[in-house]
Amino acid sequence: MATPGPAPDRVLLGIDPGTQHTGYGILQIQGKHVALLAIGVVHLNKPGWDHPQKLHQLYTSVQRLLDAYKPDEMAIEAPFYAKNVQSMLKLGRAQGVVMAVALARDVPITEYAPKRIKQSVTGNGNASKHQVAEMLKQLVPELRNHTDLLPDATDALAVAYTHYQTSAPAGTQQVGGSYRSWADFLAHNPDRVG
């Protein structure tokens, strides 16, 4: 029986969607080596912008990230439940825009629940954002060179790192799902289409 060869190199884009700030973190995986390619935040809170303008800015910003880094896969933080219905609706739209850009470029998407991300990075599903950021500095040493990052950025990097950990071994459970096209997304999410 032949032993499997090394895992192919991959570029992973993690996104933490938001309506004011959307974080992104991009990792390059070479064998077992993890390197930070980019990390940052798309600011959507410009004075005078209405929600459609924010979504347009988010769409074009994610397009630029895909063009610049050509990720093989995208990981996104799955929706969470909040008491404010309007906030949930706006967040859902932002998540949909991010997914639409990736699906239009045939970039597979995997969603992860917030608790799963915290568990993957820190070993504690109830970890604070600060604990997640500090652990990421141990896991991705280049992150130590970045100071004053917004939590949205480190949260996005945590999503990418979770995908790296989860997608490597065969048969690992994923929260959410992986989608390779609009048809695949719709087939797995009939309740999310009106």
Side-chain angles (χ1 to χ4, degrees):
M1 181 179 218
T3 55
D9 294 348
R10 301 183 292 160
V11 174
L12 307 179
L13 169 60
I15 298 278
D16 178 26
T19 56
Q20 298 298 316
H21 309 283
T22 289
Y24 63 89
I26 305 173
L27 294 173
Q28 182 168 22
I29 313 301
Q30 295 175 308
K32 292 185 179 184
H33 179 71
V34 178
L36 178 65
L37 288 182
I39 187 167
V41 172
V42 176
H43 297 284
L44 305 170
N45 57 348
K46 305 280 192 227
W49 276 8
D50 61 12
H51 192 63
Q53 287 170 304
K54 291 178 181 184
L55 294 177
H56 181 263
Q57 177 65 32
L58 181 58
Y59 187 91
T60 57
S61 296
V62 173
Q63 274 186 326
R64 282 189 215 113
L65 288 171
L66 293 177
D67 290 343
Y69 295 98
K70 308 217 178 323
D72 299 293
E73 301 164 52
M74 176 189 283
I76 187 170
E77 186 168 303
F80 66 90
Y81 297 97
K83 293 180 182 177
N84 185 325
V85 176
Q86 284 301 313
S87 294
M88 280 191 61
L89 178 62
K90 288 179 179 178
L91 179 60
R93 290 175 180 160
Q95 290 166 325
V97 163
V98 170
M99 294 173 82
V101 177
L103 291 168
R105 303 287 179 96
D106 294 320
V107 176
I109 304 164
T110 304
E111 294 180 277
Y112 294 96
K115 266 190 178 288
R116 174 68 182 95
I117 296 164
K118 293 175 182 180
Q119 176 71 35
S120 176
V121 173
T122 69
N124 175 3
N126 296 314
S128 69
K129 289 180 180 287
H130 176 73
Q131 289 170 318
V132 170
E134 288 303 309
M135 183 56 76
L136 281 170
K137 289 178 184 175
Q138 304 305 312
L139 300 169
V140 185
E142 297 97 336
L143 187 59
R144 296 177 198 154
N145 300 329
H146 296 268
T147 57
D148 299 325
L149 286 172
L150 288 175
D152 306 274
T154 51
D155 286 353
L157 188 63
V159 177
Y161 194 86
T162 297
H163 187 61
Y164 158 65
Q165 284 190 317
T166 304
S167 63
T172 306
Q173 284 284 2
Q174 292 181 2
V175 178
S178 294
Y179 314 112
R180 299 203 177 273
S181 66
W182 274 113
D184 191 29
F185 174 78
L186 294 172
H188 285 88
N189 298 281
D191 58 317
R192 292 176 77 177
V193 180

